[in-house]
Amino acid sequence: MSSGQTPEPQPCLPPAGLPEFALGLTPPDLTPYAAGNTGVRGFTTLDSGRPGPHVLAVSLIHGNEFAGAIVLAELLGANFRPKCGRLTLGFANLTAFARFDAGNPTASRYVEEDLNRVWDDYQLFGVRHSAELDRAREIRPLVDSADMLLDLHTMLWPADPSLLCGAGPRGRNLAFAIGTPGQVIADAGHAGGKRLIDYGRFTEGAEQHAACVLVEAGQHWHPATVTQCRATLRSLLRHAGMAQAPPPEHKPSFAQVVQTITARSNRFHFIRPFRGGDVVHRAGTVIAHDGEDKVVTPEDNMMLVMPSLRVSHGQTAVRLARLVRLENELP
């Protein structure tokens, strides 16, 4: 496979029930970086030899979300060296990524289970095994040594790019320090399991300083999404003192998720094809039907966070967020 962008997006055939999605990127060739140098396959540490933080940037938590992997491969191919501290660049679910098929691009999200739903101690230290859970256990020592972690993701459905900071102040502060994309969203995660940004190192213990954010950089397989991944990583490196880059021109806006809507049936459908970032202005507005039940907004001015236009029982359908006025409600 070659890295980079194709001149023209090519339509690709999805599974039944999904529309066609344009494939405007080709998967990167990660062969030169598969071994890594950390003892963990696919993870490479670039050491400045000077004091400073350990920054970890992770791509391919989902195997078909390779825009972030393109950016990390670019950095490795350019022999980048941080000005201080240590920078680790990693490709998480290489097994799922290797199965990517342009004719069925949504099928390689994972092999057995979602790698972004296993980051709690009960699972990590338990006896159960799966391809993704075992991979999380391999990666965990690097995660446990990181001071700042950026988890690079992309989205299936149309939505404004955003930085997800989890529920705690450390993630929120890091998101504002990065500053791009210009929308920061705080939420408590999914009913299906803990994400990497919800891992205890980043959310528990008053003495802890480590922080993690997740960027949803844009839609899968769109060239603009690579551009956003590149900008977010560059801004993180600036914040960490590892590289020079101009700061964001504007302070991000902030939204706090107040309700997560999980599908309770296989007949969940929105009343129209909402886009992530849409705002529903009146409380009590019907936005979807879940079987025979109506799904309504609980407050005025609810922003829809990453609505999934095809969702099954037990999956997150949408998160509803309150827009927060920063000058009044953030320290």
Side-chain angles (χ1 to χ4, degrees):
M1 294 183 289
S2 61
S3 64
Q5 302 173 6
T6 57
E8 293 293 337
Q10 299 297 316
C12 43
L13 299 176
L18 291 179
E20 292 186 2
F21 293 99
L23 196 65
L25 301 172
T26 55
D29 180 7
L30 301 182
T31 305
Y33 319 115
N37 67 359
T38 62
V40 179
R41 184 170 59 97
F43 282 74
T44 300
T45 294
L46 310 175
D47 196 333
S48 71
R50 299 178 179 178
H54 180 203
V55 173
L56 176 57
V58 180
S59 65
L60 294 180
I61 286 285
H62 296 132
N64 63 341
E65 299 180 18
F66 52 77
I70 290 173
V71 172
L72 299 192
E74 287 175 351
L75 211 59
L76 289 167
N79 295 314
F80 174 81
R81 286 295 179 271
K83 293 179 178 296
C84 66
R86 292 178 294 137
L87 173 64
T88 299
L89 307 176
F91 309 102
N93 203 335
L94 286 168
T95 303
F97 171 70
R99 301 182 179 192
F100 181 79
D101 177 4
N104 189 5
T106 62
S108 57
R109 180 177 171 86
Y110 53 78
V111 178
E112 295 181 78
E113 64 178 319
D114 193 330
L115 182 53
N116 214 28
R117 299 292 185 273
V118 300
W119 291 93
D120 63 85
D121 288 351
Y122 178 79
Q123 300 213 60
L124 291 171
F125 296 98
V127 298
R128 188 173 66 83
H129 290 275
S130 73
E132 279 74 22
L133 185 51
D134 290 346
R135 181 60 168 161
R137 290 169 180 147
E138 291 177 5
I139 296 169
R140 186 180 60 82
L142 292 172
V143 174
D144 283 342
S145 70
D147 300 300
M148 291 176 255
L149 194 153
L150 173 63
D151 189 8
L152 293 155
H153 285 257
T154 60
M155 299 174 281
L156 181 63
W157 301 105
D160 297 337
S162 59
L163 284 163
L164 303 186
C165 63
R170 281 178 276 152
R172 183 183 68 200
N173 292 340
L174 178 58
F176 273 89
I178 294 171
T180 180
Q183 175 72 67
V184 175
I185 299 171
D187 73 331
H190 300 270
K194 283 191 175 184
R195 304 162 298 181
L196 184 52
I197 60 171
D198 305 318
Y199 181 52
R201 175 172 176 79
F202 307 119
T203 59
E204 300 168 5
E207 74 286 353
Q208 291 276 9
H209 66 276
C212 179
V213 295
L214 182 159
V215 61
E216 294 285 2
Q219 278 190 273
H220 305 331
W221 323 307
H222 282 213
T225 303
V226 175
T227 302
Q228 181 61 68
C229 286
R230 200 178 285 127
T232 302
L233 179 60
R234 184 167 56 242
S235 192
L236 172 63
L237 297 180
R238 172 196 53 78
H239 170 64
M242 293 182 167
Q244 292 184 337
E249 295 183 2
H250 304 287
K251 189 173 184 178
S253 58
F254 181 68
Q256 174 70 57
V257 171
V258 297
Q259 186 176 0
T260 298
I261 306 296
T262 302
R264 295 181 295 171
S265 75
N266 288 323
R267 294 185 293 143
F268 189 103
H269 64 277
F270 289 96
I271 62 167
R272 63 179 177 85
F274 287 105
R275 173 188 173 88
D278 285 350
V279 176
V280 179
H281 294 289
R282 299 191 64 176
T285 299
V286 176
I287 59 171
H289 295 271
D290 193 353
E292 303 301 321
D293 298 327
K294 295 179 180 179
V295 178
V296 302
T297 51
E299 303 177 13
D300 290 345
N301 299 319
M302 287 280 93
M303 186 176 78
L304 276 62
V305 178
M306 295 178 60
S308 178
L309 303 185
R310 298 288 188 278
V311 67
S312 301
H313 174 263
Q315 295 179 337
T316 299
V318 66
R319 285 159 281 182
L320 304 178
R322 177 187 301 134
L323 302 174
V324 178
R325 296 182 62 187
L326 301 177
E327 65 272 21
N328 293 335
E329 301 187 44
L330 280 181

